[in-house]
Amino acid sequence: MILATTRTNHGRLIAANIAKRFKSSPAASSNAAQAKHKDRYNYNRSSVISFEDDQQHTTYKRVTARELASYRTPPRKVKMLARDFIHDSLYNPHYGYFPKNATIFSSDTPFDFTQLHDLAHFQDQVARRYVEYGIVPAPGEGPGRQVWHTPTELFKPWYGQAIAQNLVSEYMVRHFPYEDFIVYEMGAGNGTLAQNILDYIRDHYPEVYERTQYRIIEISKPLAEAQRQRLLPDHPCVEIFNKNVFEWDTYVPAPCFFLALEVIDNFPHDVIRYDLEDLRPYQGIVSIDEQGDFTELYEPIHDPLIRQFLQFRSEIGHESPALTSPWLKYPSLRSMYRSAPFAPNVTSKPEFIPTRILTFLKILRQNFPLHRLLLSDFSSLPDTMPGYNAPVVQTRFRDTMVPVETFMVQPGYFDIFFPTSFELLRDMYELVMSKPVSALRLPEKADAAKSTPTGTAEADSLRPSPTAPTVSGRLGANFFTPKGRRPPRAGQSSGISLAMGEARSTICTHQEFMQQYANLDGTRLRNGDNPLLDYYRNVKFLY
């Protein structure tokens, strides 16, 4: 078995060193020192071993993020897939980054852009409010809560109004007045976006507001409660589900819009490397020893979700970025490279693959068959760790961002967020939407579904629209379909009762989207600059 490993307590040491700055007294520091083992600087990127060389890892229990959710402290003497480690680090309810250390920047008073001179003036105002909003950590509580901002909060209400205009425009063309205006928002944060959208629709499209149902899927219990208090008094059409979207199991047959804005960058990824002998992929495992040190191991792929992602990526013709180097295409050159002293036996840099995003797309296909997706996030990021599609791993200390070069860090102290290849996402999304639900299930789930005769029938069927003629899905797929549209399915129609497939998804930049849907006068500065267009140049939309 060929396995490359990286041993590290580097991220844990950074977190420990930051935490030491916040100790309340020498006695507290002494007690903490007695409770923890002595730090060992064993960071090493180049070791190549196997389980046989390090038998302790073979005895560790393999766990998942779902199992770790009940842990009140970070685990020891366990091993898990990289995506489970990242999920636990970010979302564990007891020590994860978002429950303990993340706060969304929000200001009660929106910026009056028309009174700001230029971009420098705007930046000064943002910095001033950011400092005012900062949260000082309690003694012994590490770096304190991390404050971060989103375009929703910086440009309220104008950003939310642009989103609302896009949704209403699509709804009026496709479904009004025969269907209700149903919107699902995943991860609504402080509820600002929902409020801005609903206020705008109520004031400008009352006939649409009367048919509006706004549903929020929120994993955080405190945020869900804050959303209820903020939204329900003015907008009784809001319904909030305090639930992880990955555990959503309710079938929604009606046409709807699904919002995923500034969310998928924190979806956990898996890690793979390729054997230089035959370019066979290996899946990354994070092993945690009894002292809390991390070891990155690689083993042959047997996780069904990783297998499915690699299969789907091959179907849509996307190549791994780790295999684009010309020399990797020639076995003789790979052999020469592997024979060099201390040469690694796998590709030198890890590749991070968005397996959780694939799971999300499958949930949309299975439970929201008539949805229309509106998604926005980072298409590129600075200061990423080494690797392909690698994340930024960072924490804030004394108003300074501290990035590190490994994702194996002390859970709860670091934000871990990824760029998204929107071209890959678009093609993967279209592939998933084109497949029957039965073809998307993982092997063990497919076997379980066979014992439930109604499971596949319900998910693969579609609720007829009041304007839809009776059209065979199979017949429609064989007839002419205009370029840029999906093959039609039974129950789908245009506003003039023609059986048509949904328009294929489109990619545009943040600037292009705002130019089309935003009221740019509201965010124009006195010198003519517009931060709504100039900021977030590394963000794209899929819709």
Side-chain angles (χ1 to χ4, degrees), residues 211-287:
R211 310 204 59 163
T212 297
Q213 301 176 41
Y214 201 100
R215 299 166 182 170
I216 293 173
I217 304 173
E218 177 59 59
I219 188 174
S220 168
K221 187 174 182 179
L223 285 179
E225 183 57 34
Q227 293 158 11
R228 289 189 182 94
Q229 295 179 8
R230 178 172 189 167
L231 298 171
L232 291 182
D234 293 330
H235 300 290
C237 60
V238 172
E239 187 175 5
I240 298 170
F241 301 89
N242 183 198
K243 193 171 188 177
N244 186 340
V245 69
F246 295 108
E247 297 175 358
W248 185 271
D249 55 1
T250 302
Y251 185 68
V252 181
C256 62
F257 296 87
F258 202 102
L259 301 182
L261 305 179
E262 306 116 38
V263 174
I264 65 169
D265 57 309
N266 285 120
F267 278 9
H269 287 45
D270 273 294
V271 183
I272 59 174
R273 294 185 193 241
Y274 294 85
D275 181 5
L276 290 178
E277 182 176 358
D278 55 9
L279 300 184
R280 180 182 178 187
Y282 281 70
Q283 63 187 26
I285 300 293
V286 177
S287 178

Side-chain angles (χ1 to χ4, degrees), residues 472-529:
S472 166
R474 179 175 298 178
L475 179 63
N478 293 331
F479 273 70
F480 172 75
T481 300
K483 183 179 180 181
R485 305 195 73 85
R486 300 174 192 151
R489 296 182 190 145
Q492 286 184 287
S493 68
S494 69
I496 56 175
S497 300
L498 296 178
M500 297 176 64
E502 284 285 329
R504 294 187 185 276
S505 50
T506 301
I507 298 173
C508 70
T509 65
H510 170 89
Q511 184 183 71
E512 292 169 341
F513 187 91
M514 292 301 151
Q515 286 174 330
Q516 183 171 356
Y517 294 106
N519 177 3
L520 298 179
D521 291 337
T523 54
R524 186 171 288 114
L525 308 182
R526 297 180 66 177
N527 72 339
D529 289 339

Side-chain angles (χ1 to χ4, degrees), residues 56-316:
Q56 63 174 332
H57 300 288
T58 64
T59 64
Y60 292 165
K61 178 184 177 183
R62 189 180 293 257
V63 295
T64 65
R66 181 188 293 269
E67 295 171 304
L68 293 175
S70 61
Y71 283 46
R72 306 194 71 86
T73 58
R76 304 288 177 91
K77 301 179 70 173
V78 297
K79 57 192 175 188
M80 68 199 80
L81 288 167
R83 70 170 182 264
D84 289 309
F85 177 82
I86 295 172
H87 186 281
D88 186 63
S89 298
L90 294 177
Y91 299 108
N92 184 285
H94 305 292
Y95 53 78
Y97 173 79
F98 284 106
K100 283 187 64 70
N101 286 326
T103 300
I104 304 173
F105 169 83
S106 182
S107 177
D108 294 335
T109 305
F111 291 101
D112 187 353
F113 294 94
T114 61
Q115 297 304 309
L116 300 178
H117 299 292
D118 51 26
L119 289 176
H121 191 191
F122 174 60
Q123 292 170 352
D124 289 341
Q125 292 298 308
V126 172
R128 182 179 62 81
R129 294 196 187 186
Y130 201 85
V131 171
E132 293 174 355
Y133 198 78
I135 301 175
V136 179
E141 290 297 322
R145 296 189 69 83
Q146 314 293 295
V147 183
W148 44 278
H149 58 72
T150 66
T152 297
E153 298 291 348
L154 280 186
F155 301 112
K156 64 183 180 185
W158 311 105
Y159 180 88
Q161 290 180 3
I163 300 298
Q165 186 60 55
N166 169 271
L167 296 177
V168 171
S169 299
E170 293 287 319
Y171 170 71
M172 296 294 283
V173 170
R174 297 171 184 274
H175 305 300
F176 182 81
Y178 304 102
E179 300 282 358
D180 286 342
F181 180 52
I182 303 174
V183 179
Y184 283 84
E185 183 185 357
M186 173 177 62
N190 294 330
T192 302
L193 180 66
Q195 184 179 50
N196 295 158
I197 289 174
L198 291 169
D199 287 349
Y200 181 77
I201 296 174
R202 179 195 58 200
D203 297 340
H204 294 84
Y205 298 94
E207 71 281 8
V208 174
Y209 185 78
E210 291 178 355
R211 310 204 59 163
T212 297
Q213 301 176 41
Y214 201 100
R215 299 166 182 170
I216 293 173
I217 304 173
E218 177 59 59
I219 188 174
S220 168
K221 187 174 182 179
L223 285 179
E225 183 57 34
Q227 293 158 11
R228 289 189 182 94
Q229 295 179 8
R230 178 172 189 167
L231 298 171
L232 291 182
D234 293 330
H235 300 290
C237 60
V238 172
E239 187 175 5
I240 298 170
F241 301 89
N242 183 198
K243 193 171 188 177
N244 186 340
V245 69
F246 295 108
E247 297 175 358
W248 185 271
D249 55 1
T250 302
Y251 185 68
V252 181
C256 62
F257 296 87
F258 202 102
L259 301 182
L261 305 179
E262 306 116 38
V263 174
I264 65 169
D265 57 309
N266 285 120
F267 278 9
H269 287 45
D270 273 294
V271 183
I272 59 174
R273 294 185 193 241
Y274 294 85
D275 181 5
L276 290 178
E277 182 176 358
D278 55 9
L279 300 184
R280 180 182 178 187
Y282 281 70
Q283 63 187 26
I285 300 293
V286 177
S287 178
I288 309 174
D289 66 18
E290 68 278 4
Q291 295 176 324
D293 291 340
F294 310 116
T295 300
E296 185 179 2
L297 305 165
Y298 287 86
E299 63 184 9
I301 291 178
H302 54 74
D303 176 69
L305 182 58
I306 296 178
R307 285 184 180 276
Q308 187 177 63
F309 175 86
L310 295 178
Q311 174 192 337
F312 286 2
R313 185 170 68 176
S314 177
E315 288 184 31
I316 57 180

